[in-house]
Amino acid sequence: MNAESNSSPLVRLGRVELTLTSNAGPVHILNGIDLAVDAGETVGIVGPSGSGKTSLLMVVAGLERASGGAVEVAGAAFHELDEDALARERGRNIGIVFQDFHLVPNMSALENVALPLELAGIADPFRRAEEALVRVGLGHRVQHYPGELSGGEQQRVTLARAVAPGPRLLLADEPTGNLDGETGEKIMHLLFDIQAEHGTTLMLVTHEMALAERCRRLVRIGDGRIAEDRLQDAKSASHG
Amino acid sequence: MADGVNALAWRLARRELRGGLKGFRVFVTCLALGVAAIAAVGWLGSAVVGGLKADARKLLGGDVEIRLMHRPTDEAQRSYLATNTARLSESVEMRAMAHAAASGGERTLVQLKAVDGAYPLVGGVTTVPASPLANLLGRDGGMFGAVVDPKLLAKLKITVGEPTRVGKATFRVAGTITAEPDRVTSIVNFGPRLLISTAALAETGLVQPGSLIQYYTKMMLPAGADFASWRGQLDTRFPDAGWRVRAPDEAAPGVKRFIERLTLFMSFVGYTVLLVGAVGISRAVSGYLQGKVRTIATFKCLGSPAGLIVRVYLMQILVLAAVGIAIGIAAGIALPWVALSFLKGLLPVEPVIALYPVALVQAAAFGVLASVTAALLPLGRAREVPARDLFRAAAGALGNRPRPRFLLAVAVGIAGLVGLVFLSSTDKWFALWFVVGAAATVGALALAGALLLRFSRWPRPGNAVLRLVLANLNRPGTSAPGVVLSLGLGLSVLVAVVQIEGNVGRQIAERLPEKAPAYFFIDIQPDQVEAFERVVRSIPGVSDLQREPTVRGRIVAIAGKPVEEVAVAPEAQWAIRGDRSLTAAASPKADASIVAGDWWPADYRGKPLISLDANLAKGFGIGVGDELTVSILGRDITATVANTREIDWSSLRFDFAIVFSPGVLEGAPHSHIAAARATPDAEAKLERAVTDAFDNVSAIHVRDALAAAAELLDGISKAVSAVAAVTVAAGAVVLAGALAAGQQRRIFDAVVFKVLGATRRRIAGTFALEYGLLGLITAAAAVGVGSLSAWGVVKFLMRMDWTWLPWHAATTVAVALAATLVFGLAGSWRILGLKAAPYLRND
């Protein structure tokens, strides 16, 4: 299915810079990030607030355009694509799980999950969406609207929406940030289970070391730079 | 591919619309109001014009009408017409005085009509008592009968069966007229109808040479005859007849013109309602899309191209526009029904109730274009919503700058609206004035809104409440400029209407009676002149008697070109529409204002010369040295313009647009017209003395004519004010929407004030001050803009004296203050009673 060989990284960032303007002057968010993530890898990204970890995720998702350097995801040079091409790449290859869920309030759980499938023109979107919802344990809630679901259920819908199109890259930004401990734990189990089932590449931004340590690889960001990038032993990187 | 994208966009739009219309109430209301105003005005205008068309043959009195001034058709003409038509009827119309037959009784000016036995060719005269016209008008006991407008009985204080004297003849009032088929209810009536037979007319002694008498021949053409070819043959046979020939499509051109002009003015007010609505639409779409920022960002994160997002929301807007337009069209059809029940009997013809698709399609087209154009900028900004905002805690905002293609689309939309205004308007010049005026008004009010923001930032008063009020007016996302623009537009129209109405009303009620004569006297025979002057001068309190010989004539050529081929300016069209009163004079009037050329010597007896109204000369595109040809009693007289005069017609001065040099009219049968001033006490005496002494002379009471004009004006201004009130209502809807949009912020403000120890009274005072200041500034801007527009209309369009009427302006200020305070405080009242704690816990 993959066009690239297994040796070619799915995500490659080369000397990526991100500078945003503000009233007080330019703010340097990312300062020369070099990062390669292979297909199937799980990467936990940690760092203090304002270190640039969420910005890094946005650059990888094509939601923020790097001020400098090269960004390649699934063989596409994001730094060369326009906004609509980036949107199409996201639809094809990237699933995103947000801290605040970001479900469309006027759409049912089923319609929310079907949305990226419809946008990508994938056949039979509602059947696939329903399968995804069943997979996250919400087969009985398909016609419910976000306002009728608990926080944990909403995050499950978000997860189902992210994985339903079968993305090669799953980006998760503080996925348990708005959930209580027990619910958060269940969501993380589900996330890693699904990742393992499909062999999806996962980049997980979190401020909780315990979550990050479940990933095979841990990247620590500080002041817009990679301060640490290490593989963890298979035992500690447990997601089962 | 595009179909697939549209299908997907439509699916998503439908899902989005499940949220309901809550955020779009202002959108739908504004659009419905604008469309309803345009549709109602267009529909009503079409219904009345449709009534004119439907009854055209009846109104004309046949298939063809021929009219001659001063003289009837001659034997050859009558014989030709009788031979070449299926049927014909002859009638005579003139002004005359009707007297209660008792000596010293009441008298009044009447519209006398004498008809033959064939009248009417189309329709029937309805009378009370119901009886064939021939029976009612026939001679009975030596006295002819007459049927009259019931108003005449009231004026003469007589009843049916009693006699009335007209000229030398006395008539028995045989009944009253309920309906007269070929009489269009005149816009301004100078006298009630008195209908007699042609045979009886001869006995009145009113038919005198030069008297203002119109002779009509109404005809039914043979079956299958074509009017154009019939007319061609008529012109070939009688090329110099000097008559006016009309077909049914020109049955009542004056009324048609009046209705079209009134519809035009009211349409412009309707467009203004939509303009105000467009501000509301734009704000409503902005507010709705602002609430959708996260959804839009989510779409983008999930792989939606920006173009798809624009389609999704554009489709929603189109669906809502369809709802608003449907409501507007329904109201636009329903409103005239209500209006017609009030207007029954006041309209010149019976309106034809039918579906007028053109009027409704025009209104819908305005609605679609206005809503899409108003929505484009917010849509363009929605397209630029950055998806990255989903990763940030702070609420996202619409993008700041739409792409140039959206700005271009807005420009195209505005151009489309302007084009539609021109396309829908019967008068392109007025349309141009409206577009320029509307653009200037929007510009001025937008400037006022911008200045309000700037100045509310500038002074920082020591008073905390005032400081807070000013800060509220210019906080980010403030609705103040939108309120100034939308409510200001509505109020500007109201100010302009009220100021114009006030100025015209003042002119009629105060200024004209000061300047105008008390009476005009017509049909004075040359041999009566001396006696007439003696009678008038003998009455104490009568002054300034002026008298001129006059004959009616029609301008047939300007500078050698037939008048139909000359591009005459709109303001000069009146002079070529029908017969005009002409005179001849050896010397100019003492107060004549000659602006070009010279008056002829008093003893001039050369080739015909003309002294022409300077404005007519300008409208005709001619000047001193050019020729004008006038048809008088069937004879064309070509004269050279010797000079032009400035004439202020608005003063009702006794003057003539065309004055010939001496000798030109001497051979023509003519009568004299006179005017005189009189003190209020002397007015009745003057009328009695003249009409007692001269049966054939008619007295036109200027005060009565002005009252009739004032009554007409009152009706017009009520109609325009009603539509203008819709403009203010649209402004109020926008205001209410803007205030509702700020409700959450106000709740938060109130909670913070309460925490800091403010009483509810104090909070209410702060809100009232903010709303009051907003209303005051809006009113000030509207008074400025509206007064300026009114000044332009009164001074340059109506050519009247202008006076700024402060009380009329004060009314508008009061309306604005009341609107902002009532809407504002009504919305804030609930806030004052809210408990602070739940909000603090939630926040």
Side-chain angles (χ1 to χ4, degrees), chain A residues 20 54 58 63-64 83-84 87 90-91 96 98 102 104-107 111 115-116 118-119 126 145 161 173, chain B residues 8 11-12 15-16 18-19 292 294-295 298-306 308 387-388 390-391 403:
Chain A
L20 299 179
T54 294
M58 284 195 271
L63 297 171
E64 193 77 86
E83 196 194 337
D84 285 344
R90 269 196 302 278
I96 307 174
F98 304 94
H102 295 309
V104 181
N106 294 332
M107 295 188 193
E111 287 166 342
L115 185 58
E118 292 176 278
L119 289 172
F126 288 94
Y145 286 85
R161 185 176 68 182
D173 182 37
Chain B
L8 174 60
R11 271 206 309 279
L12 298 179
R15 288 179 208 163
E16 278 285 83
R18 284 182 201 148
K292 292 287 178 187
R294 287 192 172 269
T295 300
T298 303
F299 279 152
K300 284 193 170 182
C301 277
L302 297 177
S304 166
L308 177 67
R388 61 172 181 264
L390 286 188
F391 291 89
R403 302 199 166 199

Short mmCIF file of all heavy atoms in Angstrom, two decimals, chain A residues 20 54 58 63-64 83-84 87 90-91 96 98 102 104-107 111 115-116 118-119 126 145 161 173, chain B residues 8 11-12 15-16 18-19 292 294-295 298-306 308 387-388 390-391 403:
data_model
loop_
_atom_site.label_atom_id
_atom_site.label_comp_id
_atom_site.label_asym_id
_atom_site.label_seq_id
_atom_site.Cartn_x
_atom_site.Cartn_y
_atom_site.Cartn_z
N LEU A 20 6.61 33.27 14.11
CA LEU A 20 5.31 33.94 13.99
C LEU A 20 5.49 35.41 14.35
O LEU A 20 6.36 35.75 15.15
CB LEU A 20 4.28 33.29 14.93
CG LEU A 20 3.98 31.81 14.67
CD1 LEU A 20 2.98 31.28 15.68
CD2 LEU A 20 3.46 31.59 13.26
N THR A 54 3.30 21.59 20.24
CA THR A 54 2.06 21.62 19.45
C THR A 54 2.32 22.24 18.07
O THR A 54 1.79 21.80 17.06
CB THR A 54 0.97 22.39 20.20
OG1 THR A 54 0.64 21.66 21.38
CG2 THR A 54 -0.30 22.56 19.37
N MET A 58 1.53 20.88 14.33
CA MET A 58 0.80 21.64 13.31
C MET A 58 1.58 21.69 12.00
O MET A 58 0.99 21.63 10.91
CB MET A 58 0.52 23.06 13.82
CG MET A 58 -0.62 23.10 14.83
SD MET A 58 -1.20 24.77 15.06
CE MET A 58 -0.15 25.31 16.36
N LEU A 63 -0.89 22.35 8.91
CA LEU A 63 -1.80 23.43 9.35
C LEU A 63 -1.02 24.71 9.58
O LEU A 63 -1.58 25.79 9.62
CB LEU A 63 -2.51 23.02 10.65
CG LEU A 63 -3.40 21.78 10.52
CD1 LEU A 63 -3.89 21.32 11.88
CD2 LEU A 63 -4.59 22.10 9.62
N GLU A 64 0.25 24.58 9.78
CA GLU A 64 1.13 25.74 9.94
C GLU A 64 2.23 25.59 8.91
O GLU A 64 2.78 24.49 8.74
CB GLU A 64 1.71 25.73 11.37
CG GLU A 64 2.38 26.99 11.80
CD GLU A 64 1.40 28.08 12.18
OE1 GLU A 64 0.96 28.12 13.34
OE2 GLU A 64 1.10 28.91 11.30
N GLU A 83 -2.61 25.59 0.05
CA GLU A 83 -3.50 25.26 1.16
C GLU A 83 -4.44 24.09 0.84
O GLU A 83 -4.62 23.18 1.65
CB GLU A 83 -4.33 26.51 1.49
CG GLU A 83 -5.00 26.45 2.82
CD GLU A 83 -6.05 27.53 2.95
OE1 GLU A 83 -5.95 28.55 2.23
OE2 GLU A 83 -6.98 27.34 3.75
N ASP A 84 -5.03 24.13 -0.36
CA ASP A 84 -5.98 23.08 -0.71
C ASP A 84 -5.29 21.72 -0.90
O ASP A 84 -5.84 20.68 -0.53
CB ASP A 84 -6.77 23.46 -1.96
CG ASP A 84 -7.81 24.53 -1.66
OD1 ASP A 84 -8.11 24.72 -0.45
OD2 ASP A 84 -8.32 25.16 -2.60
N ALA A 87 -4.74 20.32 2.39
CA ALA A 87 -5.99 19.77 2.94
C ALA A 87 -6.23 18.38 2.38
O ALA A 87 -6.62 17.46 3.10
CB ALA A 87 -7.15 20.70 2.62
N ARG A 90 -3.95 15.88 3.99
CA ARG A 90 -4.44 15.53 5.34
C ARG A 90 -5.57 14.51 5.23
O ARG A 90 -5.61 13.53 5.96
CB ARG A 90 -4.98 16.79 6.04
CG ARG A 90 -3.95 17.52 6.87
CD ARG A 90 -4.64 18.50 7.82
NE ARG A 90 -5.47 19.48 7.14
CZ ARG A 90 -5.01 20.60 6.59
NH1 ARG A 90 -3.72 20.86 6.63
NH2 ARG A 90 -5.83 21.43 5.99
N GLY A 91 -6.48 14.78 4.31
CA GLY A 91 -7.62 13.89 4.14
C GLY A 91 -7.19 12.48 3.79
O GLY A 91 -7.80 11.51 4.21
N ILE A 96 -6.20 13.29 12.93
CA ILE A 96 -5.80 14.13 14.07
C ILE A 96 -6.79 13.92 15.23
O ILE A 96 -8.01 13.94 15.03
CB ILE A 96 -5.78 15.63 13.69
CG1 ILE A 96 -4.91 15.85 12.44
CG2 ILE A 96 -5.25 16.48 14.84
CD1 ILE A 96 -4.93 17.27 11.89
N PHE A 98 -7.80 15.69 18.78
CA PHE A 98 -7.58 16.95 19.48
C PHE A 98 -7.89 16.81 20.97
O PHE A 98 -8.71 15.99 21.37
CB PHE A 98 -8.51 18.05 18.93
CG PHE A 98 -8.38 18.27 17.46
CD1 PHE A 98 -9.23 17.63 16.57
CD2 PHE A 98 -7.43 19.14 16.96
CE1 PHE A 98 -9.14 17.84 15.21
CE2 PHE A 98 -7.33 19.36 15.59
CZ PHE A 98 -8.18 18.69 14.71
N HIS A 102 -13.36 18.79 19.09
CA HIS A 102 -13.73 19.49 17.85
C HIS A 102 -14.63 18.67 16.95
O HIS A 102 -14.36 18.46 15.76
CB HIS A 102 -12.49 19.96 17.08
CG HIS A 102 -11.72 20.98 17.85
ND1 HIS A 102 -12.31 22.09 18.37
CD2 HIS A 102 -10.42 21.02 18.22
CE1 HIS A 102 -11.40 22.80 19.02
NE2 HIS A 102 -10.25 22.17 18.96
N VAL A 104 -18.30 18.38 15.08
CA VAL A 104 -19.23 19.37 14.52
C VAL A 104 -20.57 19.20 15.25
O VAL A 104 -21.19 18.13 15.17
CB VAL A 104 -19.40 19.18 13.00
CG1 VAL A 104 -20.36 20.22 12.44
CG2 VAL A 104 -18.04 19.27 12.32
N PRO A 105 -21.01 20.21 15.98
CA PRO A 105 -22.15 20.02 16.89
C PRO A 105 -23.45 19.65 16.19
O PRO A 105 -24.29 18.98 16.79
CB PRO A 105 -22.28 21.37 17.60
CG PRO A 105 -21.44 22.33 16.86
CD PRO A 105 -20.43 21.56 16.09
N ASN A 106 -23.63 20.10 14.93
CA ASN A 106 -24.91 19.82 14.26
C ASN A 106 -24.91 18.48 13.53
O ASN A 106 -25.84 18.19 12.79
CB ASN A 106 -25.24 20.92 13.26
CG ASN A 106 -25.50 22.23 13.95
OD1 ASN A 106 -25.94 22.25 15.09
ND2 ASN A 106 -25.20 23.32 13.27
N MET A 107 -23.84 17.72 13.70
CA MET A 107 -23.79 16.41 13.03
C MET A 107 -23.77 15.32 14.07
O MET A 107 -23.15 15.46 15.13
CB MET A 107 -22.54 16.32 12.16
CG MET A 107 -22.54 17.30 11.00
SD MET A 107 -21.16 16.97 9.92
CE MET A 107 -21.15 18.46 8.92
N GLU A 111 -22.24 10.93 11.42
CA GLU A 111 -21.92 11.92 10.37
C GLU A 111 -20.55 12.55 10.61
O GLU A 111 -19.81 12.84 9.66
CB GLU A 111 -23.00 13.00 10.33
CG GLU A 111 -24.30 12.49 9.73
CD GLU A 111 -25.48 13.42 9.99
OE1 GLU A 111 -25.39 14.28 10.91
OE2 GLU A 111 -26.49 13.29 9.29
N LEU A 115 -17.48 12.24 7.94
CA LEU A 115 -17.09 13.50 7.28
C LEU A 115 -15.76 13.40 6.52
O LEU A 115 -15.71 13.73 5.32
CB LEU A 115 -17.07 14.62 8.34
CG LEU A 115 -16.81 16.02 7.86
CD1 LEU A 115 -17.84 16.44 6.81
CD2 LEU A 115 -16.84 17.00 9.03
N PRO A 116 -14.66 12.96 7.15
CA PRO A 116 -13.40 12.91 6.38
C PRO A 116 -13.47 11.91 5.23
O PRO A 116 -12.81 12.09 4.21
CB PRO A 116 -12.36 12.48 7.43
CG PRO A 116 -13.14 11.87 8.54
CD PRO A 116 -14.48 12.55 8.55
N GLU A 118 -16.16 11.30 3.45
CA GLU A 118 -16.89 11.99 2.37
C GLU A 118 -15.99 13.00 1.70
O GLU A 118 -15.98 13.13 0.47
CB GLU A 118 -18.11 12.71 2.95
CG GLU A 118 -19.19 11.76 3.47
CD GLU A 118 -20.34 12.52 4.11
OE1 GLU A 118 -20.20 12.90 5.30
OE2 GLU A 118 -21.34 12.76 3.44
N LEU A 119 -15.22 13.74 2.51
CA LEU A 119 -14.34 14.76 1.94
C LEU A 119 -13.29 14.13 1.03
O LEU A 119 -12.90 14.71 0.02
CB LEU A 119 -13.65 15.55 3.07
CG LEU A 119 -14.55 16.49 3.88
CD1 LEU A 119 -13.80 17.04 5.09
CD2 LEU A 119 -15.05 17.62 3.01
N PHE A 126 -20.61 5.88 5.22
CA PHE A 126 -21.37 5.67 6.46
C PHE A 126 -21.18 4.25 7.03
O PHE A 126 -21.16 4.07 8.24
CB PHE A 126 -22.85 6.01 6.23
CG PHE A 126 -23.05 7.50 6.10
CD1 PHE A 126 -23.06 8.09 4.85
CD2 PHE A 126 -23.16 8.30 7.23
CE1 PHE A 126 -23.19 9.47 4.72
CE2 PHE A 126 -23.31 9.67 7.11
CZ PHE A 126 -23.32 10.26 5.84
N TYR A 145 -25.88 13.18 19.01
CA TYR A 145 -25.13 14.39 18.66
C TYR A 145 -24.08 14.63 19.74
O TYR A 145 -24.24 14.17 20.87
CB TYR A 145 -26.09 15.59 18.56
CG TYR A 145 -26.91 15.55 17.28
CD1 TYR A 145 -28.10 14.83 17.22
CD2 TYR A 145 -26.46 16.19 16.14
CE1 TYR A 145 -28.83 14.76 16.06
CE2 TYR A 145 -27.18 16.13 14.95
CZ TYR A 145 -28.37 15.41 14.92
OH TYR A 145 -29.07 15.34 13.75
N ARG A 161 -13.17 9.13 14.11
CA ARG A 161 -13.10 10.02 12.95
C ARG A 161 -11.68 10.09 12.39
O ARG A 161 -11.46 10.13 11.18
CB ARG A 161 -13.57 11.43 13.36
CG ARG A 161 -13.65 12.40 12.21
CD ARG A 161 -14.20 13.74 12.64
NE ARG A 161 -13.28 14.44 13.52
CZ ARG A 161 -13.52 15.63 14.07
NH1 ARG A 161 -14.67 16.23 13.84
NH2 ARG A 161 -12.64 16.22 14.85
N ASP A 173 -2.97 15.44 19.97
CA ASP A 173 -2.51 16.59 20.75
C ASP A 173 -3.20 16.55 22.11
O ASP A 173 -4.39 16.86 22.20
CB ASP A 173 -2.85 17.88 20.01
CG ASP A 173 -2.35 19.10 20.76
OD1 ASP A 173 -1.26 19.04 21.36
OD2 ASP A 173 -3.08 20.12 20.76
N LEU B 8 -21.68 17.01 -2.17
CA LEU B 8 -21.10 16.90 -0.83
C LEU B 8 -21.36 18.19 -0.05
O LEU B 8 -21.78 18.16 1.12
CB LEU B 8 -19.60 16.64 -0.95
CG LEU B 8 -18.80 16.64 0.35
CD1 LEU B 8 -19.33 15.56 1.30
CD2 LEU B 8 -17.32 16.39 0.08
N ARG B 11 -24.85 18.27 1.12
CA ARG B 11 -25.08 17.37 2.26
C ARG B 11 -24.60 18.03 3.55
O ARG B 11 -25.29 18.03 4.56
CB ARG B 11 -24.31 16.06 2.06
CG ARG B 11 -25.08 15.00 1.31
CD ARG B 11 -24.61 13.60 1.66
NE ARG B 11 -23.18 13.35 1.58
CZ ARG B 11 -22.50 13.09 0.47
NH1 ARG B 11 -23.14 13.06 -0.69
NH2 ARG B 11 -21.22 12.85 0.49
N LEU B 12 -23.40 18.60 3.47
CA LEU B 12 -22.84 19.21 4.68
C LEU B 12 -23.64 20.44 5.09
O LEU B 12 -23.88 20.69 6.27
CB LEU B 12 -21.37 19.60 4.43
CG LEU B 12 -20.43 18.43 4.10
CD1 LEU B 12 -19.02 18.93 3.84
CD2 LEU B 12 -20.42 17.42 5.25
N ARG B 15 -26.71 19.43 6.94
CA ARG B 15 -26.42 19.03 8.32
C ARG B 15 -26.19 20.26 9.19
O ARG B 15 -26.65 20.34 10.32
CB ARG B 15 -25.18 18.15 8.37
CG ARG B 15 -25.43 16.77 7.81
CD ARG B 15 -24.15 15.96 7.86
NE ARG B 15 -24.15 14.96 6.80
CZ ARG B 15 -23.06 14.33 6.38
NH1 ARG B 15 -21.89 14.60 6.91
NH2 ARG B 15 -23.15 13.44 5.42
N GLU B 16 -25.49 21.23 8.62
CA GLU B 16 -25.20 22.44 9.38
C GLU B 16 -26.47 23.21 9.71
O GLU B 16 -26.59 23.83 10.76
CB GLU B 16 -24.26 23.35 8.57
CG GLU B 16 -22.81 22.99 8.67
CD GLU B 16 -22.21 23.37 9.99
OE1 GLU B 16 -22.37 22.58 10.94
OE2 GLU B 16 -21.63 24.45 10.10
N ARG B 18 -29.18 22.10 10.54
CA ARG B 18 -29.98 21.51 11.61
C ARG B 18 -29.93 22.37 12.87
O ARG B 18 -30.78 22.25 13.74
CB ARG B 18 -29.44 20.13 11.96
CG ARG B 18 -29.82 19.10 10.96
CD ARG B 18 -29.27 17.78 11.45
NE ARG B 18 -29.15 16.85 10.36
CZ ARG B 18 -28.21 15.92 10.28
NH1 ARG B 18 -27.30 15.82 11.23
NH2 ARG B 18 -28.19 15.10 9.27
N GLY B 19 -28.89 23.17 12.96
CA GLY B 19 -28.77 24.04 14.14
C GLY B 19 -29.89 25.04 14.23
O GLY B 19 -30.05 25.73 15.24
N LYS B 292 -19.05 29.67 13.80
CA LYS B 292 -18.71 28.43 13.11
C LYS B 292 -17.21 28.28 12.88
O LYS B 292 -16.78 27.39 12.14
CB LYS B 292 -19.41 28.39 11.74
CG LYS B 292 -20.91 28.25 11.83
CD LYS B 292 -21.29 26.86 12.25
CE LYS B 292 -22.79 26.72 12.39
NZ LYS B 292 -23.14 25.41 12.97
N ARG B 294 -14.75 27.26 14.63
CA ARG B 294 -14.13 25.98 15.00
C ARG B 294 -14.58 24.85 14.07
O ARG B 294 -13.79 23.96 13.73
CB ARG B 294 -14.44 25.66 16.44
CG ARG B 294 -13.64 26.55 17.36
CD ARG B 294 -13.63 26.15 18.79
NE ARG B 294 -12.67 27.00 19.50
CZ ARG B 294 -11.39 26.69 19.65
NH1 ARG B 294 -10.92 25.57 19.18
NH2 ARG B 294 -10.58 27.53 20.27
N THR B 295 -15.85 24.93 13.65
CA THR B 295 -16.32 23.90 12.70
C THR B 295 -15.56 24.03 11.38
O THR B 295 -15.15 23.03 10.79
CB THR B 295 -17.83 24.08 12.47
OG1 THR B 295 -18.50 23.94 13.72
CG2 THR B 295 -18.37 23.05 11.50
N THR B 298 -12.23 22.70 11.78
CA THR B 298 -12.29 21.23 11.84
C THR B 298 -12.39 20.67 10.42
O THR B 298 -11.70 19.71 10.07
CB THR B 298 -13.50 20.79 12.67
OG1 THR B 298 -13.39 21.37 13.97
CG2 THR B 298 -13.56 19.27 12.80
N PHE B 299 -13.27 21.28 9.60
CA PHE B 299 -13.39 20.84 8.21
C PHE B 299 -12.00 20.86 7.54
O PHE B 299 -11.62 19.92 6.85
CB PHE B 299 -14.31 21.78 7.42
CG PHE B 299 -15.79 21.48 7.62
CD1 PHE B 299 -16.73 22.50 7.50
CD2 PHE B 299 -16.24 20.22 7.92
CE1 PHE B 299 -18.08 22.24 7.66
CE2 PHE B 299 -17.59 19.95 8.09
CZ PHE B 299 -18.52 20.96 7.97
N LYS B 300 -11.28 21.95 7.78
CA LYS B 300 -9.97 22.07 7.12
C LYS B 300 -9.02 20.98 7.63
O LYS B 300 -8.26 20.40 6.85
CB LYS B 300 -9.39 23.45 7.39
CG LYS B 300 -10.04 24.55 6.58
CD LYS B 300 -9.24 25.83 6.63
CE LYS B 300 -9.77 26.85 5.63
NZ LYS B 300 -8.99 28.08 5.63
N CYS B 301 -9.06 20.75 8.94
CA CYS B 301 -8.19 19.71 9.51
C CYS B 301 -8.50 18.34 8.93
O CYS B 301 -7.62 17.50 8.79
CB CYS B 301 -8.36 19.66 11.02
SG CYS B 301 -7.37 20.90 11.84
N LEU B 302 -9.77 18.13 8.61
CA LEU B 302 -10.18 16.82 8.11
C LEU B 302 -10.00 16.70 6.60
O LEU B 302 -10.43 15.73 5.99
CB LEU B 302 -11.65 16.55 8.47
CG LEU B 302 -11.93 16.47 9.98
CD1 LEU B 302 -13.40 16.28 10.24
CD2 LEU B 302 -11.13 15.34 10.62
N GLY B 303 -9.40 17.71 6.01
CA GLY B 303 -9.05 17.61 4.60
C GLY B 303 -9.97 18.35 3.65
O GLY B 303 -9.94 18.11 2.45
N SER B 304 -10.79 19.28 4.18
CA SER B 304 -11.68 20.01 3.28
C SER B 304 -10.95 21.17 2.62
O SER B 304 -10.34 22.00 3.30
CB SER B 304 -12.86 20.55 4.08
OG SER B 304 -13.54 21.50 3.32
N PRO B 305 -10.99 21.25 1.30
CA PRO B 305 -10.43 22.44 0.64
C PRO B 305 -11.26 23.68 1.02
O PRO B 305 -12.46 23.55 1.31
CB PRO B 305 -10.57 22.15 -0.85
CG PRO B 305 -10.98 20.72 -0.95
CD PRO B 305 -11.59 20.32 0.35
N ALA B 306 -10.60 24.85 1.01
CA ALA B 306 -11.29 26.09 1.42
C ALA B 306 -12.50 26.37 0.53
O ALA B 306 -13.52 26.85 0.99
CB ALA B 306 -10.31 27.25 1.38
N LEU B 308 -14.55 24.31 -0.77
CA LEU B 308 -15.70 23.51 -0.35
C LEU B 308 -16.40 24.19 0.83
O LEU B 308 -17.64 24.22 0.91
CB LEU B 308 -15.25 22.10 0.04
CG LEU B 308 -16.35 21.18 0.56
CD1 LEU B 308 -17.34 20.84 -0.55
CD2 LEU B 308 -15.78 19.89 1.15
N ALA B 387 -6.78 26.77 10.26
CA ALA B 387 -7.12 25.50 10.91
C ALA B 387 -6.32 25.32 12.20
O ALA B 387 -6.75 24.64 13.10
CB ALA B 387 -6.84 24.35 9.94
N ARG B 388 -5.17 25.95 12.28
CA ARG B 388 -4.32 25.77 13.46
C ARG B 388 -4.99 26.27 14.73
O ARG B 388 -4.60 25.92 15.82
CB ARG B 388 -2.99 26.51 13.26
CG ARG B 388 -3.14 27.99 13.07
CD ARG B 388 -1.81 28.72 13.06
NE ARG B 388 -2.04 30.14 12.89
CZ ARG B 388 -1.99 30.76 11.74
NH1 ARG B 388 -1.71 30.10 10.65
NH2 ARG B 388 -2.23 32.06 11.67
N LEU B 390 -7.54 25.38 15.99
CA LEU B 390 -8.10 24.28 16.78
C LEU B 390 -7.15 23.85 17.88
O LEU B 390 -7.55 23.25 18.86
CB LEU B 390 -8.38 23.08 15.87
CG LEU B 390 -9.58 23.21 14.95
CD1 LEU B 390 -9.84 21.89 14.26
CD2 LEU B 390 -10.82 23.61 15.73
N PHE B 391 -5.88 24.12 17.69
CA PHE B 391 -4.90 23.71 18.70
C PHE B 391 -4.71 24.77 19.77
O PHE B 391 -3.90 24.61 20.65
CB PHE B 391 -3.55 23.43 18.01
CG PHE B 391 -3.60 22.20 17.15
CD1 PHE B 391 -3.97 22.27 15.83
CD2 PHE B 391 -3.29 20.97 17.69
CE1 PHE B 391 -4.02 21.15 15.04
CE2 PHE B 391 -3.34 19.83 16.89
CZ PHE B 391 -3.70 19.92 15.57
N ARG B 403 -9.73 37.16 0.12
CA ARG B 403 -8.89 37.22 -1.08
C ARG B 403 -9.44 38.25 -2.07
O ARG B 403 -10.65 38.51 -2.06
CB ARG B 403 -8.84 35.86 -1.73
CG ARG B 403 -8.31 34.84 -0.76
CD ARG B 403 -7.83 33.61 -1.40
NE ARG B 403 -7.05 32.93 -0.36
CZ ARG B 403 -6.16 31.98 -0.59
NH1 ARG B 403 -5.93 31.59 -1.81
NH2 ARG B 403 -5.49 31.42 0.39
#
